[in-house]
Amino acid sequence: MNVLVTGGAGYIGSVTTELLLDEGYETVVFDNLERGHREAVDPRARFIAGDLRNPADIAKAMQAVKPDAVIHFAAYALVGESMEHPELYFGNNVRGGVNLAEAMLKTGVRRIVFSSTCATYGQPERLPITEDMPQRPTNPYGESKLMFEKILVWYQRLKEFQPVFLRYFNACGASSKYGEDHDPETHLIPNVLKVALGQGEQVPVFGEDYDTPDGTCIRDYIHIEDLARAHLLALKNPFCGALNLGTGEGCSVLQAIGAARRITGHPIPVKFLPCRPGDPARLVADARNARKVLGWTPDRSRVDDIVQTAWDWHRAHPDGYGKKS
Ligand code: UDP
């Protein structure tokens, strides 16, 4: 099977590409390297440089590769940035998606595994979150992902597309080769580990008065190797529709920092700051459907494993992937 991976130079895309190649899939990475890293692309993959916002780039790549399926990661993914620059999010995540879908249509490619997010749900009415709960995003990032889900539903109804929407909760951890390197880094676990590496004095903790046992936000942290495996299972399975990918277990900001203190042996001082706008108190997945439909079990996602693998990667790559290529 021949798979085109958009955004295969990014965090989750790089690890999924690695796994696809390990499992014998012919894999082509399409990426503009704006936020991804050439060093993060497995050398066994064919690499095509291109931007989804340029219809000719993706049309040409699709024609050249004629994949059996597309895994679509390429997107902007920062909530805060999306509140300041919604145009980036609608421009890249929606317009880029439309160009991708059009190129698939022209080439007769129907299967797409789409990297979606729990941010499409917004503030949930109850927990854990099931796939049938209302999707009311509270920021342009979540809205842009939901818009592309909806576009794909129409292509499914009218053009025989076979889409799967994998709605990730909090992606984290690393494989032995590939890890998280964003600029700027806004995510909790890499920020915590940067302090342990001596690259920061204190970890900012956003909010201490949430209605949670220790007052800090609760999230459902899921290891990227577990996420990557769900993509492979989705390729092998005829299922179309949405699946949440999380553990079903919540972990607070202070619990995650506690795990990092144990694992790194560093005291990791914290500084409490006001809540980040739009941060819900708790987001936890009901991921029973992914288990049932795909036979997926997230067995890499204990918090200690997540922090340990991320710590190993950050220690081996204290400057991330280094200079962008
Ligand atoms: N967070 C924090 N300090 C940081 C980064 C994140 O306290 O330096 C908190 C954030 O407010 C949220 C949780 O950690 O409650 C996870 O944030 P992250 O940005 O990793 O993922 P998100 O849940 O926003 O997708």
Side-chain angles (χ1 to χ4, degrees), residues 88-109:
L88 291 180
Y89 283 71
F90 297 119
N92 195 22
N93 300 3
V94 182
R95 192 188 304 147
V98 169
N99 292 338
L100 172 67
E102 231 165 81
M104 287 173 60
L105 197 61
K106 281 193 192 129
T107 320
V109 181

Side-chain angles (χ1 to χ4, degrees), residues 170 186-188 191 203-206 217 219 221 253 276 279:
N170 285 61
T186 62
H187 295 107
L188 178 66
N191 280 351
V203 185
V205 172
F206 301 119
C217 284
R219 294 287 180 276
Y221 293 93
V253 172
R276 270 191 330 202
D279 257 354

